Amino acid sequence: LALGLEDQASAAAYVGRPSTAEAALLTSDELFLRKVANNMRKLVAGRQPVVLVSTGAFNPIHLQHTRMFYLARAHLNERTEYQVVGGLVSPSHDTEVKNSLRVFPSQAVPIRHRSAMCEIAVSGSSWLAVGRWEATRRRVMPYHSVLQHVQELLNNAFGGSAKPAAALAAEELSADLHDDGYSYGDAASPT
């Protein structure tokens, strides 16, 4: 999602990295917005802020899931006019996970546990957060609905000046990363 914040003062309400104890009291949306606001303060002039969003089962989340975010951030920050200011891990609805495991539905980890594992996986990150919106709906939500929700969060938090979502096809980004010399076995640099 691309952000276009003409008035960065609206981010002031979210500034400051929360302590572990404080983070436990924030909703997932509040923590996400706080991290985005902190990174907006570091935005380089002339760069377009962008938020990375990934949905999926995360059954369970693993190193390659988080590595995907770091590789995408490195690519966008180094090779484009975009600067990544946030990333959102959005675990899928339990129904979708069970449907994808039709042969072995008992292997579906319940959302409360998948969300907790995702939160642990990104807890040390200054820019990655976990979104619970998708998993808490009454039905499975398509990816574009998740993007629309994130865009609305950003619009509401930052004065409604966010630009429409910009989608990057995973296949195109993957091909670009491969062409740039990144490979599946490269070490990620989680900063």
Side-chain angles (χ1 to χ4, degrees):
L1 298 175
L3 303 176
L5 298 180
E6 284 123 65
D7 180 14
Q8 293 187 14
S10 60
Y14 296 97
V15 173
R17 186 170 183 180
S19 66
T20 304
E22 184 183 8
L25 299 175
L26 296 174
T27 68
S28 60
D29 289 347
E30 291 168 338
L31 185 57
F32 166 66
L33 293 171
R34 169 110 23 125
K35 288 183 176 188
V36 169
N38 285 339
N39 290 307
M40 284 297 297
R41 293 185 321 168
K42 303 171 191 168
L43 187 64
V44 175
R47 303 290 304 271
Q48 177 68 34
V50 67
V51 172
L52 304 178
V53 179
S54 179
T55 64
F58 301 109
N59 189 49
I61 192 167
H62 52 76
L63 182 59
Q64 295 304 324
H65 287 128
T66 55
R67 185 173 179 277
M68 166 185 66
F69 278 97
Y70 285 96
L71 288 173
R73 180 178 75 163
H75 176 78
L76 291 170
N77 286 349
E78 295 168 11
R79 311 226 186 248
T80 70
E81 72 277 5
Y82 294 106
Q83 182 173 332
V84 176
V85 294
L88 190 69
V89 176
S90 180
S92 298
H93 193 278
D94 276 339
T95 302
E96 185 172 335
V97 176
K98 287 177 184 174
N99 286 343
S100 69
L101 297 168
R102 277 179 235 178
V103 179
F104 303 105
S106 62
Q107 292 180 352
V109 176
I111 186 57
R112 68 182 179 278
H113 298 304
R114 288 186 290 121
S115 289
M117 288 186 278
C118 289
E119 287 170 2
I120 290 167
V122 304
S123 64
S125 174
S126 63
W127 65 282
L128 287 175
V130 177
R132 293 178 177 251
W133 182 84
E134 177 184 5
T136 59
R137 302 302 93 195
R138 290 181 182 233
R139 61 181 176 84
V140 174
M141 301 303 292
Y143 184 66
H144 73 273
S145 294
V146 176
L147 288 180
Q148 183 178 3
H149 170 73
V150 173
Q151 190 70 59
E152 288 171 5
L153 274 177
L154 296 168
N155 287 345
N156 291 337
F158 300 110
S161 58
K163 292 182 181 176
L168 297 173
E171 296 81 19
E172 291 176 24
L173 182 56
S174 177
D176 286 348
L177 290 172
H178 181 73
D179 291 345
D180 289 341
Y182 293 103
S183 69
Y184 186 74
D186 290 344
S189 56
T191 55

